[in-house]
Amino acid sequence: MIEIEASKEAASRTARLDAVFAALADPTRRAIIERLSGGEARVTEVAERFPMSLNAVSKHIRVLEASGVVERQRKGRDHILSINKSSLDEVDGWIDRTRRYWEKRLDAMEHLLGELNKDRVRPKDR
């Protein structure tokens, strides 16, 4: 039973990461995130920076919301957007784990290549 729960959690984490990476694949959505990194903003404030309709920007925002990267609060008639830092922390953790894995693998390969080069040099020196 524990293995099934762990498997479900891993699948859920993978799905969340997939959604975040898909959302961040678009340059307009990355620009929205950059804008919100300076603090929360109304949808209209975010939209005014882009040479497209409010409706088009809203579609980008909905993708960011669906991925969990952006949160929306309603304050009266205003829709206030902010970054959901926990979703980006999850991505940051994945990137960090992946970086450590590949650094370890590349260090091992570098060590192996160094050993192989030592073996090649020795017979010629004799």
Side-chain angles (χ1 to χ4, degrees):
M1 191 63 140
I2 293 173
E3 289 180 24
I4 293 171
E5 292 301 319
S7 178
K8 287 180 183 177
E9 176 60 30
S12 176
R13 190 175 333 125
T14 298
R16 286 192 308 266
L17 283 172
D18 289 349
V20 172
F21 282 123
L24 296 177
D26 184 87
T28 299
R29 293 192 284 266
R30 289 192 304 271
I32 291 170
I33 294 300
E34 286 181 36
R35 165 59 182 89
L36 294 175
S37 68
E40 63 182 30
R42 293 190 335 259
V43 171
T44 53
E45 292 172 333
V46 171
E48 67 190 14
R49 304 179 76 187
F50 299 97
M52 61 182 77
S53 69
L54 177 60
N55 189 38
V57 174
S58 291
K59 287 180 182 181
H60 284 291
I61 291 169
R62 283 194 294 275
V63 171
L64 290 167
E65 286 179 285
S67 72
V69 175
V70 168
E71 296 176 331
R72 179 190 306 244
Q73 295 178 353
R74 290 189 178 131
K75 295 182 181 176
R77 292 176 53 182
D78 290 331
H79 291 235
I80 309 298
L81 303 173
S82 61
I83 294 177
N84 177 5
K85 291 184 173 84
S86 65
S87 68
L88 295 179
D89 288 343
E90 193 168 352
V91 170
D92 187 48
W94 179 86
I95 290 170
D96 188 49
R97 287 188 304 276
T98 303
R99 179 184 301 121
R100 283 183 302 197
Y101 170 81
W102 283 108
E103 284 175 351
K104 187 188 263 186
R105 299 291 305 225
L106 291 171
D107 288 346
M109 186 169 71
E110 182 179 25
H111 176 74
L112 177 62
L113 290 173
E115 292 297 315
L116 290 172
N117 282 335
K118 284 181 190 176
D119 291 343
R120 284 186 175 176
V121 171
R122 286 182 189 151
K124 291 180 182 179
D125 291 340
R126 291 182 185 174

